[in-house]
Structure formats: structure tokens, C-alpha cells
Amino acid sequence: MSNRRDFIKVLGLGGAALTVPAGITLANPTTPGLADKIDITNLTLKGRVQSNGAGIPNVAVTDGVNIALTDKSGNYQLLSNKTARFVYITIPAGYAIPHNKGIANFYKAIDTKSNTFTANFQLERLEKDDKNHVFVVWADPQIISKKDAQALIDRPAPDLRDLVSNYPAGTLVHAVGCGDLVWDHFELIEDYREAVRITGVPFFNVIGNHDMDLNARTDDYSADTFKQNFGPTYYSFNRGNIHYVMLDDVFFIGTAKKYIGYLTETQLQWLEQDLKQVKPGSTVVVSLHIPTNTGAMRRNNDKQEELGGTVSNREQLYKILAPYKVHIMSGHTHMNEKWENGNITEHVHGTICGAWWTGPICSDGTPEGYAVYEVQGNDISWFYKSTNKPKDYQLKIYPKGYVKNAPDEVAANVWNWDKQWKVEWFEDGAPKGSMQQRVDFDPWTVELYAGDQLPKKHKWVDPTLTDHLFFARPSAGAKVIKVVATDRFGKQYSQEISL
């Protein structure tokens, strides 16, 4: 690469930015009356990554544009510029996750008063191998009031704490706060932090569309409050054999509550560099708020996708991820679904808040809750944990007449279903084969959320079509119907009802 292109990459602003007059100022969108200068003066970042006084080699250190690796003594030096806000590391495998009361702490805020900034990082080596570990995904806590915040603190926080306590002592667990940590009310961030503290689990956090500064004039400043509380909006870390990446796919378009699902060129270039340190064929877990893709357009027979519902330039992301075995973790939709294509599986998560804290289920009938992923080496298995329900609560059966479009059939909602599950039914103990999968509305969501007066708290909440409903037609004299769902890992879950 030429020296000129190296210089442009160091600036991190793209070629067009080089034409900006040196004295230009931008009004700070979150502090009216102040002005910030775009300062592209060179800045040298340097320091050491160490554990108990010993330097750690080959640790990736970044300013969000370029990446440097520590030398054999753990030292690094990175040419940056004064637009950079953080210097941060990719936590290597084999080390504990540094955190502040559960909020992952892997970064240093840069002081740009001088042309050199020194940032040292201290890590603690784990006493056990971390190839086997657990992680969970909390999608959309989305608290808008103190009442919502108390619900988060009282229900999912202790539920996760108790789940972790049931694993063998010493099990390594981390979590992803998958965006919409609050609902535009930044004073509630402290309540989110309290919920995280209660869990006893270190959380890595992703920015959502409700975590943005709505009075920012461009996307560039829309994450200011998030960054003040949680650090960079895109970064990576390692645990065991798995490489984890967090991305910011919420692009603010300068009008309150208007955004698109989009990954910036700066992020994509950073990701390309980040993945150079990851062996092809490895398992990579990517977390972001807006799903890269969903089945919503198909289910709703829409002619085009909603711009804020999926990632518009997802194909460019997929190209970068092509050499790896990839799991994408997303939220945003308040529904639970999975899709697979080639090397990619995307897990779109049901939410901690259900349907915005209006009832016990999401708009597709998925109970409020979170996903649990158990990692063994390169392999990941998973299940959905409904808040305050046992681990084996994985389906709900509805009697005949509950689904409007199927008056003579029983229906089962199997919310963590994917195409490798089997859903079978039994009538009075006799096996009847597979149930029929169809797109429809979960009947409980219709009862709770359908109509312009429901639910009372947020009347705009509506039921949504889902793929994970299954139907069977019992005989006239049937007395007991049992449904057995077998997941892709061979685990069976069952429920039965009397007719």
C-alpha cells in the first residue's frame, strides 16, 4: 500500500476529509453553544498490555480505525489522530474480562491535549482453560420509566444470577446487552447498570436505536452518551476458541427517531483488519442491534424491506465473514427467529422486556427472556430461557378454536424453533407424526395486544406473524394431546393439554 493511502487510513476520515479547511468547526449537538474543531493532528498512542508485570504479546490494540499488535514485551505504538476517542484492546483468550461492576472495561478515553497518549492495560490470567464457557444475550431491556427499570431489576436480573449459580462452580459466563438498553431516557442507564451488577456477569454492550442522542445533527455524534457510559460502539474480544465482535449498525439520519440499518465504511475496514488475526474456519460471533436479515418481508408479503428493520449493506458484511463459521446475534424486532445460509446462522432474539413491558410475551408469543449459549471448543449449542420459568419451558399448546384461522386444530408455539427441530404430536398416547408448520399469529398475543385499545400501556403494540407455530387436527373423541419438540441438539421438550 502506498504511503499516501497509509496516511489516509491513519486519518480515518476518507480522502474527501483531507480537503476540510484546518479551522472549520462543528457545533457540538449535545451541548448547545459549544463548538468542537475537527483536529486531524497526528497523535501517537502507546503503552503496554501486561499481566502481573509480564508483557502479553500479539494483543490487538486499536483506535477504531487501525490496529497494532503488541510486541513480545507487550508494548504497542499506534499512529492515530486527534479525532480518535478511545484506545482499546481485543481481550485475548485465557484472560479474565476486566469490568466495572459488570460493565466490560477494555478501553481508555484518549486525552488529546498533547500529541502522545499513553494507555496501559492490566489483565488477569485465568486459572482454568476458557475453551468451554457460556454466554447469554439480553435483547432490548428498553426501559422508559422507573417502573420498567424496577421490573428489569426484579425479574431478569436475578433470573440470570440464579441460572449462573446452577452451573458448576467456576463456569465462565459473559453476557451481551444487545442494544436498546434504555428507551431514550438516559437517566435510566444507572438502573440498567444496577440490573447488570445484580446478575454478577460481565456485560459487553451494543448500541441500539433507543440508545442514541436524538438531538445530534449527524450519526457521528449520535453515540456520545453511549460512549460516555459504555465506551466504543464497535470492538472485539476472544474467549477460548471463539472470536467475538460487536458492531454498531444503527445509522442515525439526523432527525429524531429516524435511522437505518447500516454499517459504515470505517467499521467494515476495521473489521477486515480485526479478522486478519483470526484463523479462517474459526467460529466468529457477531453481535449488533438491528438484524442483518429477518423473515418479516416474506411473512407480511411486503414488497420491500423496512430500512430500519434490517441492515441495508449486509451483503458486504457477509463477504467479510465468508471465511468463518458465523453466528450473528441481534434484537430490535421483539420477536424470536433463526435463519441459516451457508456459513451464517443469525439468532434474532426475543426480548427481556417482552412487548415493551406490557405483558409476559413478545409480539410473536415468545415469553420475555433471553438466550443462553453453551460453548465447547469451536461448537455452540443454545436454548431460550424464559424469565422466571424452568429451562425446559420451550413451547405452549393452545386448544382447538384458539387460532382464528384454524378453528378445528390445536396449535403449538415453539419459540426457539429452527428448521432442524422436529415437532410431533400424540393423541391419547398414540403417535400421530409431525405437526404442520404455518405462518400465523400466536393467539395469546391476539388476546393481549390486538385492537386499538390494547395494550393499555402502549396501544400501538400489535401481534406479529411468526414462523414458529405448529398445527394438528385431533379426532372428535380425543381427550389428551401431547406435543414433543426435539431441538437440533437432540433435547426433547414436551407439553400436553386435556381437550
Side-chain angles (χ1 to χ4, degrees):
M1 183 177 288
S2 70
N3 290 336
R4 180 178 179 277
R5 291 191 65 193
D6 279 340
F7 176 66
I8 291 172
K9 283 195 71 178
V10 167
L11 294 180
L13 297 172
L18 296 177
T19 64
V20 174
I24 194 170
T25 60
L26 290 179
N28 186 322
T30 58
T31 312
L34 296 182
D36 289 332
K37 185 179 291 186
I38 297 178
D39 188 348
I40 58 174
T41 304
N42 282 353
L43 173 67
T44 299
L45 304 172
K46 64 179 183 177
R48 191 169 190 240
V49 183
Q50 58 187 344
S51 179
N52 291 326
I56 307 173
N58 298 315
V59 177
V61 186
T62 184
D63 61 353
V65 176
N66 284 323
I67 297 173
L69 298 179
T70 57
D71 63 18
K72 62 182 180 181
S73 300
N75 297 310
Y76 72 90
Q77 184 163 309
L78 178 64
L79 179 61
S80 184
N81 69 80
K82 292 189 177 182
T83 64
R85 184 155 181 181
F86 301 102
V87 56
Y88 49 104
I89 63 172
T90 295
I91 303 168
Y95 292 86
I97 296 168
H99 64 90
N100 179 13
K101 296 180 181 179
I103 303 298
N105 186 9
F106 53 93
Y107 60 91
K108 307 285 187 184
I110 296 173
D111 184 347
T112 58
K113 289 187 178 68
S114 68
N115 294 332
T116 301
F117 179 73
T118 300
N120 298 315
F121 296 89
Q122 180 71 38
L123 296 176
E124 178 185 347
R125 181 174 283 280
L126 293 168
E127 296 181 358
K128 61 179 292 184
D129 190 289
D130 57 357
K131 289 181 181 176
N132 295 346
H133 60 273
V134 176
F135 71 96
V136 305
V137 176
W138 271 18
D140 301 72
Q142 203 152 343
I143 48 179
I144 198 172
S145 65
K146 276 291 186 180
K147 184 176 181 180
D148 289 355
Q150 197 60 49
L152 178 70
I153 289 168
D154 290 344
R155 300 209 298 264
D159 189 86
L160 176 53
R161 179 195 61 203
D162 295 345
L163 176 83
V164 172
S165 71
N166 288 323
Y167 281 98
T171 298
L172 297 170
V173 184
H174 69 270
V176 176
C178 207
D180 284 1
L181 311 180
V182 297
W183 190 350
D184 304 326
H185 283 252
F186 294 139
E187 71 274 11
L188 299 175
I189 287 176
E190 287 305 312
D191 297 275
Y192 173 75
R193 286 177 172 273
E194 175 61 12
V196 166
R197 186 196 64 77
I198 289 169
T199 70
V201 175
F203 269 67
F204 294 90
N205 295 287
V206 172
I207 189 170
N209 52 290
H210 288 292
D211 302 315
M212 298 190 300
D213 294 286
L214 298 180
N215 59 345
R217 75 179 191 181
T218 64
D219 183 66
D220 302 80
Y221 293 99
S222 64
D224 277 4
T225 300
F226 180 92
K227 290 176 180 178
Q228 290 167 15
N229 285 277
F230 304 107
T233 59
Y234 58 94
Y235 52 95
S236 66
F237 64 97
N238 295 294
R239 176 149 275 193
N241 295 347
I242 311 298
H243 185 66
Y244 292 89
V245 177
M246 309 288 162
L247 295 176
D248 171 6
D249 66 349
V250 183
F251 191 90
F252 179 66
I253 62 172
T255 301
K257 302 190 179 183
K258 298 293 185 182
Y259 56 88
I260 61 174
Y262 178 79
L263 292 162
T264 63
E265 178 64 23
T266 301
Q267 276 190 90
L268 294 177
Q269 285 196 28
W270 172 85
L271 180 60
E272 288 173 322
Q273 295 177 76
D274 175 75
L275 291 176
K276 286 180 181 177
Q277 319 308 322
V278 182
K279 182 180 178 182
S282 300
T283 300
V284 175
V285 175
V286 177
S287 296
L288 34 68
H289 179 63
I290 297 176
T292 68
N293 203 1
T294 72
M297 188 172 75
R298 166 182 51 81
R299 288 190 295 270
N300 297 322
N301 291 316
D302 293 334
K303 293 182 178 180
Q304 61 183 16
E305 292 180 325
E306 179 188 358
L307 278 175
T310 57
V311 176
S312 299
N313 58 339
R314 59 179 175 258
E315 294 297 334
Q316 302 306 317
L317 175 64
Y318 300 161
K319 287 177 184 178
I320 295 172
L321 296 172
Y324 307 98
K325 181 180 179 181
V326 179
H327 292 267
I328 297 176
M329 308 290 160
S330 58
H332 186 56
T333 66
H334 294 248
M335 295 181 284
N336 206 61
E337 66 176 301
K338 310 275 186 295
W339 64 264
E340 294 180 70
N341 187 15
N343 66 313
I344 296 176
T345 301
E346 180 154 9
H347 309 254
V348 185
H349 292 83
T351 60
I352 285 293
C353 72
W356 297 267
W357 302 106
T358 61
I361 55 176
C362 301
S363 60
D364 65 342
T366 300
E368 62 179 49
Y370 53 97
V372 183
Y373 297 85
E374 298 176 335
V375 179
Q376 292 189 312
N378 297 311
D379 298 321
I380 303 177
S381 60
W382 56 86
F383 63 92
Y384 189 86
K385 176 64 175 70
S386 301
T387 303
N388 295 330
K389 297 284 188 182
K391 287 170 60 175
D392 62 358
Y393 180 63
Q394 297 292 329
L395 68 153
K396 181 177 177 62
I397 308 175
Y398 296 99
K400 289 191 298 182
Y402 270 64
V403 178
K404 179 180 178 181
N405 295 326
D408 298 323
E409 296 176 283
V410 295
N413 193 333
V414 186
W415 41 80
N416 214 31
W417 171 84
D418 61 53
K419 290 183 178 180
Q420 294 193 38
W421 283 56
K422 290 192 303 182
V423 182
E424 301 165 297
W425 68 295
F426 297 76
E427 182 179 285
D428 296 329
K432 305 294 285 186
S434 296
M435 298 183 77
Q436 184 184 48
Q437 182 258 331
R438 295 203 302 268
V439 174
D440 213 319
F441 295 103
D442 175 273
W444 196 10
T445 68
V446 174
E447 178 183 332
L448 291 175
Y449 309 137
D452 58 8
Q453 297 302 308
L454 292 174
K456 291 183 179 180
K457 183 174 180 178
H458 300 306
K459 294 180 180 180
W460 44 264
V461 173
D462 285 315
T464 48
L465 291 169
T466 180
D467 291 318
H468 45 72
L469 283 178
F470 296 83
F471 296 86
R473 190 184 303 273
S475 342
K479 293 181 174 60
V480 177
I481 301 298
K482 180 179 180 180
V483 176
V484 177
T486 306
D487 71 14
R488 62 193 292 148
F489 310 109
K491 294 181 181 179
Q492 289 192 336
Y493 310 99
S494 64
Q495 193 177 100
E496 63 180 45
I497 58 168
S498 298
L499 300 181

